[in-house]
């Protein structure tokens, strides 16, 4: 038996860079049951994959499966509605069809994902080059009436027979590789590795246990001091959620907060954090620490799903707390939007007296003009820039520029991740208003943090010297 659809197969040439050799793989394209109708073509893709696995086994060649996830499909769907997101899928489908041409096979996989089949593969370099080329050529602006988007993607890749003997295994492992690619950031490619299944299983178990964790009070909050560089006294503390898992121990937020966002549990968890942290702040105020301020992180999904002003006002009113003692930390992605609902919510929070800050500043896509128009109080410089600012000229220039810009906009600047005296002196010389990090203290349980409040364990003279 010959290769299926042999007459329709042509080599897919990969552009070379410099002296890099050309690689070619053969693929087939059909979007008949895919994005044109917005119906996932999983059955069709799996049928074709099964046929070509049989051919590859007979010929002793390899087959690559690529699952491609579009960015920022989900955010577009949340902000401007599914109709615009569907048009984005249609545009991406046409673009992918053009990229791989009549010689390729692409199928809409559902949601924000496409599946691509690369056949008769004889070396891994060909797959890497092919996926890289597809991603780069996919990255152009997309227009939809009044909206303009810049499309990027993540890719998960599996190779037959190395990563699986059958269709289901290959597809499952490609999804696991895609998940790992998403964790690494935008426009990344990730080949499957055996330890990914263990990570995926752990994440699945954690996601299933989130509801129980909220119901059984397994979450706790640790507090990290924020220090004023002019007086070396506490500005306040940042409230950081932790999951005290009964079997796995203390789980950091970076591991379970994304799961809570995907499962829709971030709203009740976020409200629990606000209520618990504000209750603790009220307790410390009643104990004589009336000047203490508290910062609480609010995720992008939480900010858009809730009515943040109403929720915050209700909690502050119930606990009788001065709104000026609370600062909400928002990511750049949650506030750097043209959505009028975002600006309205920020304005409401500002009206009732709550302070607002952008967390991890420098890691997103802030527009300086947009930044000027937002009712912010504070910018927190991400620790990735602070880490090397005292020794790397590029990072030093960036930190210096951010501090100068913020002060021109009458914003307070806090530097995160301060771990050494060199970093502290560097930031102090630039006029950074406040700092937090392991140099002063790790995040502490509430009872330990109270002892820290009492002792004020660092000395101004030592730090100034």
């Amino acid at each position: 038996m010959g290769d299926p659809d042999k007459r329709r197969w042509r080599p897919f040439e990969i552009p070379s860079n410099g002296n890099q050799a050309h690689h070619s793989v053969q693929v087939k394209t059909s979007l008949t049951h895919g994005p044109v109708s917005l119906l996932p073509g999983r059955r069709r893709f799996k049928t074709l994959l099964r046929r070509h696995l049989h051919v590859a086994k007979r010929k002793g060649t390899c087959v690559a499966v690529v699952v491609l996830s579009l960015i920022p499909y989900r955010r577009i769907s949340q902000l401007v509605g599914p109709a615009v997101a569907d048009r984005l899928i249609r545009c991406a489908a046409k673009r992918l069809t053009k990229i791989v041409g009549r010689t390729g096979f692409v199928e809409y996989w559902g949601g924000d994902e496409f599946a691509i089949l690369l056949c008769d593969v004889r070396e891994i370099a060909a797959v890497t080059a092919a996926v890289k080329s597809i991603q780069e050529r996919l990255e152009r602006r997309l227009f939809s009436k009044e909206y303009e988007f810049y499309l990027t993607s993540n890719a998960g890749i599996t190779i037959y027979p190395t990563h699986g003997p059958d269709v289901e295994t290959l597809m499952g492992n490609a999804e696991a590789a895609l998940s790992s690619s998403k964790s690494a950031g935008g426009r990344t490619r990730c080949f499957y590795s055996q330890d990914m299944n263990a990570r995926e299983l752990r994440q699945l178990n954690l996601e299933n246990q989130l509801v129980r964790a909220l119901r059984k009070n397994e979450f706790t909050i640790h507090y990290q001091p924020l220090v004023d560089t002019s007086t070396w006294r506490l500005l306040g503390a940042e409230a950081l959620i932790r999951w005290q898992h009964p079997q796995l121990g203390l789980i950091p937020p970076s591991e379970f907060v994304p799961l809570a966002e995907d499962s829709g549990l971030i709203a009740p968890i976020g409200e629990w954090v606000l209520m618990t942290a504000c209750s603790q702040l009220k307790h410390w105020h009643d104990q004589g620490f009336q000047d203490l301020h508290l910062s609480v992180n609010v995720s992008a999904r939480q900010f858009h799903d809730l009515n943040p002003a109403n929720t915050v006002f209700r909690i502050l009113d119930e606990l009788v707390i001065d709104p000026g003692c609370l600062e909400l930390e928002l990511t750049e992605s949650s506030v750097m939007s043209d959505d009028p609902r975002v600006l309205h919510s920020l304005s409401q929070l500002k009206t009732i007296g709550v302070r607002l800050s952008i967390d991890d500043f420098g890691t997103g896509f802030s527009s300086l003009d947009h930044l000027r128009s937002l009712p912010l109080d504070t910018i927190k410089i991400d620790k990735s820039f602070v880490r090397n600012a005292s020794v790397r000229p590029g990072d030093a220039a960036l930190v210096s520029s951010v501090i100068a810009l913020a002060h021109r906009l009458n914003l307070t600047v806090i530097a995160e991740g301060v771990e050494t005296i060199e970093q502290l002196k560097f930031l102090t010389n630039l006029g950074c208003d406040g700092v937090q990090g392991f140099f002063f203290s790790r995040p502490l349980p509430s009872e330990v943090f109270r002892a820290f409040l009492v002792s004020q364990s660092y000395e101004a003279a030592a730090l100034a010297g």
Side-chain angles (χ1 to χ4, degrees):
M1 181 183 296
D3 292 353
D5 301 313
K6 183 176 181 179
R7 289 175 298 174
R8 298 178 61 186
W9 286 84
R10 299 175 186 172
F12 179 64
E13 295 295 336
I14 308 302
S16 62
N17 295 318
N19 297 323
Q20 182 181 357
H22 284 269
H23 303 287
S24 68
V25 294
Q26 291 179 324
V27 296
K28 176 187 170 187
T29 302
S30 172
L31 293 168
T32 308
H33 300 281
V36 173
S37 62
L38 290 178
L39 296 175
R42 290 174 179 258
R43 180 177 297 180
R44 178 183 176 89
F45 185 86
K46 289 182 177 180
T47 298
L48 186 77
L49 176 57
R50 190 172 292 109
R51 292 164 60 192
H52 284 285
L53 291 183
H54 176 75
V55 173
K57 182 177 181 180
R58 177 172 53 79
K59 293 175 62 176
T61 57
C62 298
V63 172
V65 175
V66 183
V67 179
L68 200 71
S69 175
L70 304 183
I71 308 170
Y73 171 82
R74 292 188 178 182
R75 188 177 174 213
I76 291 171
S77 183
Q78 293 166 4
L79 293 180
V80 298
V84 175
D86 288 347
R87 289 199 293 272
L88 172 67
I89 287 292
R90 294 177 190 273
C91 292
K94 292 177 182 178
R95 184 169 294 174
L96 282 171
T97 305
K98 185 176 180 180
I99 290 170
V100 299
R102 296 175 60 190
T103 57
F105 183 89
V106 180
E107 192 65 78
Y108 179 53
W109 199 243
D112 61 356
E113 296 180 4
F114 289 84
I116 302 172
L117 176 61
L118 309 178
C119 296
D120 200 22
V121 174
R122 300 184 184 276
E123 53 185 4
I124 298 298
V127 179
T128 303
V131 177
K132 183 174 184 290
S133 176
I134 291 169
Q135 287 183 290
E136 289 177 347
R137 295 169 66 183
L138 183 64
E139 290 185 6
R140 296 177 185 173
R141 286 185 175 84
L142 290 175
F143 299 92
S144 177
K145 294 184 179 179
E146 69 271 29
Y147 300 106
E148 177 183 340
F149 306 107
Y150 185 78
L151 195 64
T152 59
S153 64
N154 292 106
I157 311 167
T158 51
I159 306 291
Y160 167 86
T162 305
H163 300 143
D166 54 50
V167 170
E168 296 300 332
T169 303
L170 285 169
M171 292 307 306
N173 289 344
E175 292 283 2
L178 176 63
S179 178
S180 182
S181 174
K182 289 179 178 180
S183 298
R187 210 186 83 175
T188 56
R189 307 166 281 285
C190 187
F191 282 87
Y192 171 77
S193 63
Q194 290 185 344
D195 65 334
M196 287 180 183
N197 278 340
R199 292 201 301 269
E200 288 292 307
L201 182 60
R202 175 182 169 90
Q203 287 186 319
L204 179 61
N205 288 334
L206 291 179
E207 185 173 346
N208 291 335
Q209 294 168 12
L210 277 171
V211 175
R212 182 209 66 193
L214 187 60
R215 186 176 65 250
K216 294 192 174 182
N217 296 318
E218 293 177 5
F219 294 115
T220 186
I221 297 179
H222 288 189
Y223 301 87
Q224 186 170 37
L226 301 171
V227 180
D228 186 330
T229 56
S230 63
T231 64
W232 304 115
R233 298 187 63 82
L234 280 182
L235 280 171
E238 180 179 356
L240 300 164
I241 188 174
R242 301 288 188 267
W243 182 358
Q244 188 64 57
H245 194 283
Q247 285 81 43
L248 302 176
L250 204 62
I251 301 176
S254 59
E255 189 167 353
F256 68 85
V257 166
L259 301 178
E261 291 183 328
D262 290 341
S263 65
L265 287 172
I266 192 63
I269 291 175
E271 188 168 345
W272 177 88
V273 170
L274 274 170
M275 175 58 79
T276 305
C278 288
S279 296
Q280 183 63 66
L281 178 63
K282 174 64 173 176
H283 180 65
W284 284 328
H285 283 177
D286 291 343
Q287 291 182 323
F289 303 103
Q290 290 91 352
D291 295 333
L292 189 65
H293 290 62
L294 198 63
S295 299
V296 178
N297 291 281
V298 179
S299 74
R301 178 70 63 84
Q302 180 186 354
F303 187 76
H304 288 288
D305 288 354
L306 289 175
N307 185 329
N310 287 349
T311 302
V312 171
F313 180 79
R314 174 175 52 80
I315 291 173
L316 294 177
D317 184 60
E318 180 180 334
L319 296 173
V320 194
I321 295 177
D322 179 1
C325 293
L326 175 65
E327 182 164 274
L328 298 184
E329 296 190 10
L330 306 142
T331 60
E332 289 181 69
S333 61
S334 64
V335 297
M336 293 300 168
S337 164
D338 291 327
D339 187 348
R341 294 172 298 179
V342 173
L343 186 58
H344 178 67
S345 294
L346 293 173
S347 298
Q348 282 186 311
L349 289 165
K350 187 70 173 179
T351 298
I352 65 176
V354 173
R355 294 176 59 83
L356 301 170
S357 72
I358 290 185
D359 194 20
D360 300 331
F361 186 80
T363 60
F365 304 96
S366 295
S367 159
L368 295 181
D369 182 64
H370 199 172
L371 184 66
R372 181 185 59 183
S373 68
L374 295 173
L376 299 173
D377 298 283
T378 304
I379 285 179
K380 299 190 74 174
I381 303 175
D382 186 67
K383 61 184 177 182
S384 61
F385 299 107
V386 172
R387 185 180 301 118
N388 298 308
S390 61
V391 295
R392 185 179 295 172
D395 286 358
L398 188 146
V399 171
S400 176
S401 298
V402 169
I403 292 174
L405 170 66
H407 285 165
R408 285 182 178 271
L409 296 174
N410 295 318
L411 299 175
T412 300
V413 184
I414 305 292
E416 300 178 295
V418 177
E419 298 182 357
T420 68
I421 188 65
E422 290 77 18
Q423 293 170 345
L424 181 62
K425 289 181 177 180
F426 173 79
L427 292 164
T428 303
N429 290 336
L430 289 177
C432 187
D433 303 295
V435 290
Q436 72 180 96
F438 290 175
F439 182 83
F440 298 98
S441 174
R442 293 177 178 272
L444 304 170
S446 57
E447 63 277 8
V448 180
F449 184 82
R450 186 190 182 282
F452 185 88
L453 280 173
V454 173
S455 65
Q456 296 285 295
S457 59
Y458 47 86
E459 297 182 2
L463 294 175

